[in-house]
Amino acid sequence: MNSVVISLGGSIISKERLNLKLMEEFSETMKSISTYDKFGIVVGGGKLARTYISDLKKYNVNDNILDEIGINATRINALAMTTFFDDVNSKIPTNINDAAEMLHNYRYVVMGGTEPGHTTDTVSTLLAERIGSKVLINATSVDGVYSSDPKIDNDAKKFSKLSYNEAISLSIKNSTGAGTNVFMDITSLTIAKRAGIKIFVINGFDLNEYKNILYNEKCGGTVIS
Amino acid sequence: MNSVVISLGGSIISKERLNLKLMEEFSETMKSISTYDKFGIVVGGGKLARTYISDLKKYNVNDNILDEIGINATRINALAMTTFFDDVNSKIPTNINDAAEMLHNYRYVVMGGTEPGHTTDTVSTLLAERIGSKVLINATSVDGVYSSDPKIDNDAKKFSKLSYNEAISLSIKNSTGAGTNVFMDITSLTIAKRAGIKIFVINGFDLNEYKNILYNEKCGGTVIS
Amino acid sequence: MNSVVISLGGSIISKERLNLKLMEEFSETMKSISTYDKFGIVVGGGKLARTYISDLKKYNVNDNILDEIGINATRINALAMTTFFDDVNSKIPTNINDAAEMLHNYRYVVMGGTEPGHTTDTVSTLLAERIGSKVLINATSVDGVYSSDPKIDNDAKKFSKLSYNEAISLSIKNSTGAGTNVFMDITSLTIAKRAGIKIFVINGFDLNEYKNILYNEKCGGTVIS
Amino acid sequence: MNSVVISLGGSIISKERLNLKLMEEFSETMKSISTYDKFGIVVGGGKLARTYISDLKKYNVNDNILDEIGINATRINALAMTTFFDDVNSKIPTNINDAAEMLHNYRYVVMGGTEPGHTTDTVSTLLAERIGSKVLINATSVDGVYSSDPKIDNDAKKFSKLSYNEAISLSIKNSTGAGTNVFMDITSLTIAKRAGIKIFVINGFDLNEYKNILYNEKCGGTVIS
Amino acid sequence: MNSVVISLGGSIISKERLNLKLMEEFSETMKSISTYDKFGIVVGGGKLARTYISDLKKYNVNDNILDEIGINATRINALAMTTFFDDVNSKIPTNINDAAEMLHNYRYVVMGGTEPGHTTDTVSTLLAERIGSKVLINATSVDGVYSSDPKIDNDAKKFSKLSYNEAISLSIKNSTGAGTNVFMDITSLTIAKRAGIKIFVINGFDLNEYKNILYNEKCGGTVIS
Amino acid sequence: MNSVVISLGGSIISKERLNLKLMEEFSETMKSISTYDKFGIVVGGGKLARTYISDLKKYNVNDNILDEIGINATRINALAMTTFFDDVNSKIPTNINDAAEMLHNYRYVVMGGTEPGHTTDTVSTLLAERIGSKVLINATSVDGVYSSDPKIDNDAKKFSKLSYNEAISLSIKNSTGAGTNVFMDITSLTIAKRAGIKIFVINGFDLNEYKNILYNEKCGGTVIS
């Protein structure tokens, strides 16, 4: 079973509303791929969830319940995404175990978050590890990993590749600083490292990027390996 | 066990964003009530869900999955509502059975929809029937049941009371017409009738209405019995 | 995936005892069909459930729990029905979501009711809508839809076809009258209408009817479309 | 927590129909007991289930599925029984673990069978062991344990008491013979022995028997200890 | 669907540690078999579980909870066993129903115990009955069924075959005696008898035994039929 | 509801075997505490799990499944721990949501891990955050947090207190170095920081430490706040 996992960041699939046009084009792209048998697709939360959460924060609501709300929002997005596929799950799995079982039955399995404390990036790497995927695409709104936030710093330099340890160091540096340049959390990178999963951080709006990776393992973003 | 069920329509609790101020005030009102021991609170979907659903409709998505998305949205709203209570469930029940079990443990149980084909009004009456409530408050954005849509027809007349059969006839008439004046669906009214549940249709923004009903069984809206 | 849903009314599959002979013949008929890939079979409750329920009614038992008992009885009937098939589920799904997942794995999926407030006719249309079936067979003990109850009214006229709106009007008329001629509930017809599901109401004891519909979309009963 | 478990044999609670009068009187008796805090009530299947099963046997149906059908029937009976209690579960637990959790919340927990291969007598002793009950009432249609089947053998002698080992030997002897005198299966007796649970085998139609046991640990039937 | 069930006794797969070498060799043997389509593999508990349980016994812990702990240990062993197969479940089923569903999807399904009161031998026969297997291999640390315990009694005689009734009598005799020669419990043998499942009791360390049975229905141990 | 969460490291509760004596003493200590109403107890895996896992690693088993095995082992330990309490759960919750629901019903809730990628320390802080605990005891085999590994470095200095940021920095430093001095993972510390949970890292074998913290918020270990 030759499988790949794709993490679709919330910023890719939703703005004020769901970015259905991209979701449709993404699904068409995935259906055109013949190099892989199984596709795990992990969908983020996006704007709507963030609005709910930021409003509730003003009422001093428990962060754990806010995380739950965010996770529920990712599952709604995942449900919407399933509608663009045929050979796909109709229930959204709530843990890695169930997603792995479903991937035995379907060519595409779409899911969102699992539990508070895990980002959808971490869910993606856990799923990749569980089903033995060696390729993970992290589709974000930036076109790779930068030395600093390219929206703020004109001298920010994009990395074409990083070792796992370099990526972890950078993630740590960013996590503890102003937090404007966090491309993936430390837990997800640590799992990728132990499982030897090659990560491609790409501009998720560029459909050719997915194809280049899935056919040639090449991309215009950053490869972490 | 003296219990009441309140159906909070989506139009009450969400506009562009969640109406957190109302949710907080509503929870304070409920906490002040001493005439009932148990409160089942069923929360609707509101604006956000409708936006998702109307966008997806353009892509010819299966209505059944749209219903599922709508139901998931009501559960997020329910989760948000729980944060304003203390003696309340921390998981949102997905069927009447589980909600009934939870009401044994908590003073307040908040839930959303259950499955496609059931409105949250129907969920409310099913819950009321199961736990033996004889009072159901249907909190909407209109201040009662009218002979025709008051936003369109200046001659629309508000009913202060209706028999179950009158309400069912009116619901049937409205369902098959232009559909601008559907106050409650036929299934929910039929269940209320068989279980003898008194329904108070009120303006859900007016907090005094809840108090008047829960202390005196009186309201400025419409009583169906 | 070319699928069909069949609603087997309780009056077809059970009298004093389960009508096992019919269940066996029905299964043989279904196994002979080559025009469809997937079959959703929704089984009603029948005599045994009704006896339990009518006895309990005398003890003023909550209708909601009576509905639960009725649903459990349909699931026992469904379990019995599975024994006549091979490529079939061994657990009875309790909601539409699970049934849809199971239909990915099996050629035949048999289920009963889902939750109080939903008839098995409604379950059938919800399942048809979810899995994209355009044909629904409603197998009853009457050979079609009549203008009035043919057992009572000699002038009752059988319709060979009805539009969705005509069927809904007739269902409303029957629901609010003496209730002796209710062929399908309003909710199920409303769902069929929104999903464009063609309904064939037939005499479920006549095995040729199933074949004629599944091969030629013709029947001696009533077509609602 | 002072608890007792009662196994209500199918022959007690159902004949052609559910024996609702007995179920009501039994519940009134239980509500009158002040010597125990918690009551686990395990309900058997009875006539209806046996009819289904014996009919299906003629079609060479898998015994395992027949057991499942029988278990589902016990759960319907359990659901019916719950309607006669107030401080009681509204879902029927499907394993001992869930029943034990529920007994923390309710004074009365009613359940049926759990899985194929376990009689409801075995379920009763497992529940008693799990919740630490030292008294188990086995309510049957015979008024105790006899040396041979009293309906066949006029010389059959009723035991007023038996040791666990004597009861096990008798159960083995009966199981391997004509099987007309099996009062409890070997598994259930073995569990009772290891847990030191005192079993009272009584005529379940005699309401005074329950009271005598629960107040004085005396009965007109057979005590196994 | 041509299926077989194998019960791997705890004494085979674990000593002080998991016997991973045997587990790997066993899996290779199973993968080489072409005469069967589906394999149910039920795994016992072994040394580690027994240590936990015997230690806890000194603290007067409820036997029911000790059984639960033992069952959890079998599930860990089952999870470890899955890692040696490819076309295999990734969740361990906790009841026969779920295992049967999984066997529709996978060539190999590995499970442990189900609930207190059922040995893994009983689970094996229940699974075999449910999925219609006519062959059950009981892999133990002894090379067949003996007239008495061969470790104690030099005159112990190995049976090459036993009828179901002979096996049941022997099991009863052993159960009520010193208990040093219990090869299978009475419940499991009773189920095998009613379902007509041929049982091969073999030395589970001898890989050729499995092959001989699966290709020729021959073994050096004991056949119960 | 005044609650506290205690994380009992695997090194505390198990060596070659379960440390039942400590578990009993720990439970007695907890039962003697009158300053808190609710106790969440999260139990680690210990020696047995580590042996299984290290053996399986030699067979190149997927780390994700090894994590699952480790999590299952923590749940067995949790089940064992429940036997020393009375007002305690009898099922081990597998996620924070269920644990929070159970804490409404029981004074003590014992659980183990939840899913791969989360340590039991992270589970502890997530539980504390969810139920609003402001005190978390992290019981380990070292008597606090040191500047370097005290077993290796004679100059290692114990901190009596650390800010969240200092603790996070130290955890990062340790995680990326030789890994011999990791007292808590970064995720758990980050959650503690956002929720304002005061962490007491103590020698879990010293029963007075628990009492001093629960009565006076004082300890001989390290306070992170």
Side-chain angles (χ1 to χ4, degrees), chain D residues 7 36 63 77 84 94 118 142 154 158 180 182 213 217:
Chain D
S7 177
Y36 288 86
D63 281 294
N77 293 348
F84 295 101
T94 61
H118 272 173
V142 186
N154 283 333
K158 184 165 77 171
T180 60
V182 185
I213 295 164
E217 299 217 354

Side-chain angles (χ1 to χ4, degrees), chain A residues 17 21 48 52 55 77, chain B residues 17 21 48 52 55 59 77:
Chain A
R17 299 178 158 211
K21 190 161 177 309
L48 292 178
Y52 259 60
D55 285 355
N77 292 348
Chain B
R17 301 178 157 211
K21 190 160 178 307
L48 292 178
Y52 258 60
D55 286 355
Y59 283 79
N77 293 348

Side-chain angles (χ1 to χ4, degrees), chain E residues 15-80:
Chain E
K15 272 255 155 91
E16 294 305 311
R17 300 178 158 211
L18 272 186
N19 191 343
L20 294 171
K21 190 161 177 308
L22 178 83
M23 287 166 75
E24 188 182 41
E25 288 169 353
F26 170 79
S27 73
E28 294 307 323
T29 304
M30 288 303 119
K31 288 181 207 165
S32 75
I33 303 295
S34 58
T35 42
Y36 287 85
D37 303 323
K38 299 283 179 177
F39 298 76
I41 299 165
V42 183
V43 172
K47 185 73 183 334
L48 293 178
R50 276 199 302 277
T51 306
Y52 258 60
I53 290 170
S54 66
D55 285 355
L56 279 161
K57 261 190 198 300
K58 293 169 204 150
Y59 283 80
N60 291 320
V61 168
N62 196 312
D63 280 293
N64 202 286
I65 289 177
L66 296 181
D67 277 4
E68 283 287 354
I69 287 175
I71 288 167
N72 275 278
T74 64
R75 289 183 189 148
I76 291 184
N77 293 349
L79 201 49

